Amino acid sequence: MSRYDEPEIRVTKDRKPGLEAGLEPIWIFGYHLVYYPIGQPSRLSIKYLVRGQTQAMKKSKFSKFKIQKAEPQQLTERLLLINLYFTQGLTLIIGVIWILLQKRNLFDVLAWPESVHFIWWGLGLAGIMLVMDLVLSYVIPQESMDDGGINDMLFRSRPIWHIVCIAAIVAICEELLFRGAIQHAIGPYWTSILFAVIHIRYLRHWIPTGWVFVSSYGLGWIYLQSGTLWAPILCHFIIDLVSGLAIRFRRGS
């Protein structure tokens, strides 16, 4: 039997069909895009992907999807990259629109500061957070910090230049939305709660969820102290870059 002859499973936003089929999403943005077998959160291979039906898409019936097996060597990293760039692009668009709706000048928000003090804010917090993350990795059980293997799949065989690009894109897009737009509206505390919630892959364990909240609050704090968005952008970039390179060279060795 061909892999495309398998029974079709309908997937909607309520997640029930996917869960009943023994699947659970590891990356969610609107519709569930990627699934792995329940009970195996640390496996690096993704065995399923969601394919939209061409005819249904033309009729705007976005709730009709089917899950089919795919070769992880061919599709896993590609799917993660597509989802990453799509979500970051959407994050950037939402951030820009939100800032404009606040009647603020986008160029003022992203203005390059005259003083270089923001570099010390960014480097200082990044250093503290990386040390704390290293300590947590030694004192906390590995399964409590497991993100389902997403970061490993994303960075394990990525070229260095691509890791730099990913870190820069994520830092700019997320900080523009969360610190530049959302924090301006609701403050650093509620912004950090929202930031922790959208990192859905960490919500299975309270320790990484709490760490994401603390990290976000720290980014919001240095934004207020430095007076420029480039401080949290720099900090976010360094953390993602170092983490990505650590995964890349650890797996390579």
Side-chain angles (χ1 to χ4, degrees), residues 7-91:
E8 181 178 316
I9 301 175
R10 299 292 181 180
V11 180
T12 59
K13 288 185 178 180
D14 61 8
R15 305 174 64 218
K16 292 180 181 179
L19 293 176
E20 291 172 356
L23 307 175
E24 184 175 341
I26 64 170
W27 195 301
I28 303 176
F29 199 97
Y31 289 90
H32 311 311
L33 296 179
V34 183
Y35 288 78
Y36 65 84
I38 290 177
Q40 303 178 23
S42 61
R43 293 190 59 177
L44 299 183
S45 62
I46 296 176
K47 292 187 177 180
Y48 300 90
L49 72 126
V50 177
R51 295 195 173 195
Q53 299 176 353
T54 304
Q55 185 176 2
M57 294 293 284
K58 290 181 179 179
K59 296 180 180 179
S60 299
K61 296 180 179 179
F62 295 103
S63 62
K64 292 186 178 181
F65 289 86
K66 59 182 177 180
I67 299 176
Q68 296 177 332
K69 286 186 178 180
E71 296 298 330
Q73 295 83 356
Q74 298 176 351
L75 298 172
T76 299
E77 294 183 4
R78 179 173 177 270
L79 279 173
L80 287 177
L81 280 177
I82 291 174
N83 194 47
L84 172 69
Y85 287 128
F86 173 76
T87 54
Q88 292 304 314
L90 194 56
T91 297

Side-chain angles (χ1 to χ4, degrees), residues 142-193:
Q142 184 177 2
E143 58 271 14
S144 297
M145 301 295 290
D146 185 23
D147 68 343
I150 293 178
N151 287 333
D152 194 275
M153 285 183 286
L154 186 61
F155 294 116
R156 63 183 174 182
S157 58
R158 197 72 51 210
I160 295 177
W161 68 267
H162 202 170
I163 295 176
V164 174
C165 291
I166 290 175
I169 291 172
V170 171
I172 293 173
C173 293
E174 291 191 357
E175 292 309 310
L176 182 66
L177 174 61
F178 286 94
R179 251 54 64 179
I182 298 178
Q183 180 169 311
H184 181 80
I186 62 178
Y189 178 78
W190 292 107
T191 299
S192 299
I193 290 179

